[in-house]
Amino acid sequence: MVGVGSRTKIGGMGRNEIRSFRQVPGVRIVALCDVDNANLGPELESFQKRNEKVAAYTDVRRLLESPEIDAVVVTTPNHWHALVTIWACQAGKDVYVQKPASYNIFEGRKMVEAAAKYQRIVQCPNGSRAPNGHAEALDYVRQGNLGQVQMVRHVHFSPRGSIGKVSGPRPIPSTLDYNLWSGPAPIVPLERENLHYDWHWQWAYGNGELGNWGIHHLDGCRMFVGGGLPRHVISIGGRFGYEDDGQTPNTLIVYFDYEPAPVLSEFRALPKGKSFLANAVAGKDSWGANAMDSYQGIPVGKVIHCEHGHVVSTISSHAAFDASGKELKKFQPTTPDLNRNFIEAVRSRRARELVSDMLQGHLSAALVHLGNISHRVGQTLPDGQIRERIAGNQELSAAYQRFQAHLLANGVDLDQTPATLGAMITFDPDTERFVGEFSQQANQFASREYRAPFVVPEKV
């Protein structure tokens, strides 16, 4: 077993996975890999203090040559997920790859193909797959206890501060191999203060809030509406409240036009309080700022609206309610721990036993990409024009009113700082390509230009 990470000291997720897998009976962590020695060194010291032998690598390609390794854990930045997974499959290793499974739609499909071709066990964890009652709530709804699903809402209302704005390119740390860190992405000057975590908010490496937090619930939303992908997607969003080096939206609505029940996702990252804006401009930490909005009492989670009631689903709690709001049932988890589930499947060689295999990871990550692509292909428009264009969609219009009210509460006037109305993109789930209006622009974001030799191949 090997942990592969590149954030802070093998990364927050890397440390979490080391801790989790060490608790699985029979698992031995034999190697660590990180392109930044400042991250790798402290974790190696932890192993040495425990008198545990572990190899150290900077280049994952060298790590994958080791015959001692059976499986790898991928906790790299998003733009590396696919290539490490594909290389690992080709090298005969099983893979536990963190969310979101892929950086773009093309990569996700290639990961699915690699897992199948090389008959590897590939797990793609996220919050909706964890043992928390979600699977049991899903079964309850599928059994018809609340009637037909009519709509699924995903909400994430949690403050996210500014990442700051640098005056010019920052020096590359001497401990870092920037060529390897960049990998499939272009090598460009470092223009953010925090090299490691804040890549999430720059398009070359990350997928914004949808990829960082949204995937935990969008995966569950997809399961409640049938498990496939939507035909049409539209978004409204922007980066509001401060000017920084982030590029991804911090306030975003995405409407996934599923049949027969749509999914509506709302992200808000500014708290109700102007003091936050002053802190954000100064680049200070904003956590603990004034309370955020909530929807039916939850600031983070999803609500599944059905004919005869609804389900409230958070990361840690799931409950069903009737039409009057009376609680009908709380759901207790019976699904296995994701780390142990992965190891059991590695040992049995039965990929069907995985809680979240590579195909499921790909399809849910595709929702992240669809929402972001709509935004990136969209157009910044005056408030009145946005209202006019979405007037035919009652739910989207209501969400936009909440969007505007939230921004006004934080001193952001859409007449002065207009939002981006995303393109109404049309997606063919069979070919996983965009068709119709905006398809040429949208398909450019379905993949990327790769930098040799870090190329995700057409044929895996």
Side-chain angles (χ1 to χ4, degrees):
M1 180 64 61
V2 53
V4 180
S6 184
R7 277 166 59 184
T8 306
K9 299 178 182 176
I10 302 292
M13 288 309 304
R15 291 197 306 276
N16 289 344
E17 298 299 1
I18 288 171
R19 185 164 52 249
S20 296
F21 278 108
R22 288 184 71 248
Q23 296 174 4
V24 180
V27 169
R28 185 165 58 94
I29 298 175
V30 298
L32 303 175
C33 182
D34 199 297
V35 297
D36 192 340
N37 287 331
N39 293 347
L40 187 59
E43 201 60 42
L44 289 173
E45 290 179 7
S46 296
F47 275 78
Q48 290 169 358
K49 290 178 181 178
R50 295 191 296 262
N51 293 318
E52 297 177 18
K53 181 181 178 182
V54 65
Y57 295 88
T58 300
D59 191 330
V60 69
R61 292 169 293 187
R62 304 290 80 80
L63 176 147
L64 292 173
E65 294 171 355
S66 172
E68 194 176 6
I69 295 169
D70 300 310
V72 300
V73 180
V74 184
T75 63
T76 65
N78 301 357
H79 69 291
W80 258 109
H81 284 187
L83 205 50
V84 175
T85 298
I86 291 168
W87 284 348
C89 289
Q90 291 172 336
K93 320 294 186 186
D94 298 315
V95 184
Y96 187 94
V97 56
Q98 267 298 334
K99 58 78 186 171
S102 63
Y103 167 78
N104 62 42
I105 295 171
F106 164 77
E107 291 182 358
R109 178 50 58 180
K110 296 299 122 177
M111 295 164 80
V112 172
E113 292 175 2
K117 179 176 180 179
Y118 298 100
Q119 298 182 19
R120 304 324 304 167
I121 304 297
V122 183
Q123 178 95 293
C124 304
N126 67 69
S128 289
R129 304 286 172 158
N132 54 23
H134 180 273
E136 293 71 23
L138 177 63
D139 286 343
Y140 182 83
V141 171
R142 284 177 171 173
Q143 290 166 11
N145 289 291
L146 297 176
Q148 293 294 314
V149 175
Q150 297 179 323
M151 186 170 197
V152 178
R153 299 178 186 272
H154 158 240
V155 295
H156 192 101
F157 306 153
S158 178
R160 174 81 67 183
S162 168
I163 68 171
K165 191 169 183 64
V166 298
S167 59
R170 311 298 294 169
I172 305 300
S174 60
T175 57
L176 177 76
D177 187 323
Y178 194 53
N179 175 56
L180 285 177
W181 191 96
S182 301
I187 292 185
V188 296
L190 174 59
E191 295 188 336
R192 60 185 181 279
E193 189 65 40
N194 182 5
L195 182 147
H196 287 301
Y197 188 74
D198 289 344
W199 53 261
H200 278 290
W201 327 122
Q202 295 188 327
W203 290 120
Y205 320 108
N207 303 102
E209 293 290 0
L210 281 182
N212 191 44
W213 271 111
I215 184 65
H216 287 298
H217 293 285
L218 289 177
D219 176 58
C221 293
R222 183 177 64 82
M223 289 188 280
F224 274 105
V225 293
L229 292 175
R231 182 73 171 171
H232 303 286
V233 179
I234 188 172
S235 65
I236 307 171
R239 194 167 185 86
F240 300 102
Y242 42 73
E243 293 184 7
D244 66 0
D245 291 313
Q247 299 165 336
T248 63
N250 65 2
T251 310
L252 182 67
I253 305 166
V254 185
Y255 186 89
F256 299 94
D257 189 22
Y258 276 99
E259 290 290 345
V263 171
L264 180 63
S265 171
E266 297 183 55
F267 255 101
R268 300 206 262 280
L270 300 179
K272 288 183 176 179
K274 293 183 180 180
S275 61
F276 167 79
L277 297 179
N279 288 341
V281 171
K284 297 178 182 178
D285 183 13
S286 65
W287 296 103
N290 293 344
M292 294 290 294
D293 303 343
S294 67
Y295 181 81
Q296 293 198 352
I298 59 168
V300 177
K302 51 189 174 288
V303 180
I304 300 87
H305 296 277
C306 304
E307 289 178 291
H308 310 306
H310 64 276
V311 170
V312 174
S313 170
T314 70
I315 289 293
S316 59
S317 175
H318 300 77
F321 300 83
D322 66 15
S324 69
K326 178 184 176 182
E327 184 176 296
L328 298 173
K329 185 177 180 64
K330 279 191 174 179
F331 301 97
Q332 300 303 318
T334 59
T335 51
D337 172 82
L338 292 172
N339 302 82
R340 291 174 183 265
N341 172 243
F342 172 65
I343 295 302
E344 289 171 0
V346 166
R347 290 166 176 161
S348 71
R349 308 312 303 164
R350 291 191 290 268
R352 65 182 180 274
E353 296 177 352
L354 289 171
V355 172
S356 183
D357 64 17
M358 187 59 239
L359 177 60
Q360 297 306 311
H362 162 56
L363 293 175
S364 292
L367 293 184
V368 170
H369 307 320
L370 291 173
N372 282 335
I373 289 171
S374 170
H375 176 77
R376 298 184 76 179
V377 176
Q379 182 180 7
T380 300
L381 293 174
D383 173 57
Q385 288 191 31
I386 292 180
R387 291 180 178 275
E388 181 179 347
R389 294 193 184 191
I390 65 173
N393 187 317
Q394 183 178 353
E395 290 293 346
L396 184 58
S397 295
Y400 183 59
Q401 290 181 353
R402 294 190 292 271
F403 175 100
Q404 183 184 45
H406 169 75
L407 291 175
L408 280 173
N410 285 279
V412 179
D413 185 346
L414 288 175
D415 287 328
Q416 303 298 320
T417 310
T420 295
L421 176 62
M424 172 64 88
I425 51 178
T426 303
F427 188 68
D428 182 349
D430 294 329
T431 62
E432 297 187 350
R433 298 285 292 175
F434 296 95
V435 296
E437 190 177 11
F438 307 113
S439 59
Q440 183 175 356
Q441 304 99 301
N443 280 319
Q444 291 178 353
F445 291 114
S447 184
R448 78 180 308 164
E449 292 290 332
Y450 292 96
R451 185 174 65 91
F454 309 103
V455 178
V456 176
E458 285 282 350
K459 293 185 178 181
V460 297

